[in-house]
Every structure is written in C-alpha cells, then in structure tokens.
Amino acid sequence: MRPRVASRLAPWLLLVLAGLVTFAAAVAWTLYTWAETRRQATTEAQRSSSRVVQSVARDQERLIESAHQLLVGLAQRSEVQTHDAGRCNLLFAGVLKRFPEYLDVVAVKPSGEIFCAGRSHEAAAGVVEPADVRRSMQTGNATLGQYAIDRTRGKATIALSAPSVDDAGVVRAVVVVGLDLTWLTRTLIETPLGGASLVVVDRNGVILTHH
C-alpha cells in the first residue's frame, strides 16, 4: 500500500513544488522591480536636486547683480545725497512696489543714522549692518554682507550696501538693500525635487530656508 500512496502523492508534491518555485520567482521579480524603481527614483531625485541647486545659485547671482545696479542708480539721486527724507521715503517705497524680492531699501548718513527707508525706520534697522556701512564708506565700493534672518520679518536675507558719493568725492550716504532669499525658492515650483529636500545653509551652519 505504501508504494501506491507514494505514487499518488508524487504529482501533488510536484504541483506544490512548482507552485512554490513560481511564487518565489514572483516575489523575486517584485523585489527586483521595486529596487530598480527605487534606484531610478533616487537617480532622478539627485539629478533634479542638482538642477535646482545650480538654478538657485544662478538666481542669487542675478538677484545680487540687479540689486547692485539699482543701488548705483539710487546712490546718485539728489534725494539721497541731500538727505531729503520725505522725497527719499517716497522714492524707496516705490522701488519696493516694483521689486517684491527686496525686503527693504534704506539710506544711512555717514554718522550711522537712518534717514530714509522704503518701509518703517524700525524695520529698516534689521537690514542695516553698521560694519558693512562703514566698510562701504571707507572703500567707496559696494559691500555684500553676511547671510542672516531678518528679525522683524523672520525671512532669510543678505544685505548689499553701496556708497553715495557726490561730485567732490565725498561720501554723503550709504544705500542698503535687503534681499529676500526666500524669493529664490520660486525655482522649486518650476522644478519639482522628486521627493528630495532643498536646504539653504550659510557658512556657519545656520539654516536660512528649506523646502
């Protein structure tokens, strides 16, 4: 009887073994497909992140360059060189309406006193770095400050300062513009990161903005 039972069970054992092999093959294929999809997704995320980082860097260069050109023009205005606060405030307020990527535009006397601002003078103090103002007056050149967090608005910013020099070569004032670095994240809308994250960190390890 035992040989007959064994002969009857053999086909079923073969079917079970075949089923197990098929199942194992299906699992292996699924795992391979998942791993390959994950690898491709990781590669694409790295490529997207690299494109975004390069794009943000170029946008920052353009933002600083355009701000420098703006400061050169504002520094020659009579409202700035004569310390005409009323007209200067109106001028700077108009600039901010045209350029939303600027947190503020401020004019400072050689003494360090703020006499003109596109917004309130209280908010302007968060944009002005006295050391940068002194450096611009001493060198007669534009000065790019350090990355910082604007205290009144809570936004990442970097200030650019430029001297206002009259025809006699005397520094009459220093014009400062605070750049809104969060404006740079608009690139993320145009170029999705594909699951990655973007963090802007300064040289001291302070996180300025992230997405």
Side-chain angles (χ1 to χ4, degrees), residues 47-63 180-194 198 200 209 211:
R47 291 174 179 172
S48 297
S49 300
S50 178
R51 288 195 296 267
V52 169
V53 169
Q54 294 175 8
S55 179
V56 169
R58 288 193 297 269
D59 286 346
Q60 178 174 284
E61 290 179 0
R62 286 193 291 266
L63 184 62
D180 183 1
L181 295 183
T182 60
W183 187 259
L184 299 175
T185 58
R186 61 180 181 172
T187 304
L188 302 177
I189 300 176
E190 304 169 357
T191 310
L193 289 177
L198 175 69
V200 179
T209 183
H211 181 83

